[in-house]
Amino acid sequence: MREVPDFPRPGVVFRDLTPVLADPDALRAMVDALQDKIDDSTQVIAAIESRGFLLGAALGYGWRYGVVPLRKPGKLPVVADSVSYALEYGEASLELPADAIQPGQRVVVVDDVLATGGTAEAACTLVERAGGIVTGVSVVLEIAALGGRSRLAGREVSALLAV
């Protein structure tokens, strides 16, 4: 993993997982470690755009989960729901595709980094409003100083690495 200072805005240090994703052995180890943290009752991965897509697809294929992409606005042809939220450097929104999560389905939310928790909280809100049951939030890296875990109170949160 590399740190990129002042991206996407001055003062933000971006944690870039591209070197890990580009290394086949590191990628395999990372995906296997994420799987080890996922509740056995999980049926669906809710993968957050965009690096969550890569992790979610690998988990879905490897362990036979369905994968639902949670997208930025304007990317889905049919939207079931949308949530706006604050980031550490601005505001954003996530959208859930129509008919992607069924009531009662057990869903884990997957992303690369947990920072302030706004994105993960929005993802959980989308899943729960669709009737899904969030079995956990699973990330590769947690930036603990930003306190994102506190926004996910009552949910199981797992991170492979915390800084």
Side-chain angles (χ1 to χ4, degrees), residues 97-155:
D99 303 320
I101 294 176
Q102 303 306 310
Q105 277 189 314
R106 300 183 59 76
V107 181
V108 65
V109 172
V110 173
D111 205 2
D112 61 336
V113 176
L114 175 63
T116 63
T119 305
E121 181 182 39
C124 290
T125 298
L126 287 169
V127 168
E128 291 165 350
R129 290 198 318 210
I133 300 163
V134 175
T135 61
V137 175
S138 190
V139 299
V140 175
L141 175 68
E142 178 181 1
I143 304 171
L146 295 178
R149 189 177 286 257
S150 67
R151 293 181 73 171
L152 301 169
R155 297 180 181 101

Side-chain angles (χ1 to χ4, degrees), residues 10 31 35 40 50 53 55 60 86 99 107 119 123 142 148:
V31 172
Q35 170 54 35
D40 290 338
S50 66
F53 293 174
L55 301 169
D99 303 320
V107 181
T119 305
E142 178 181 1

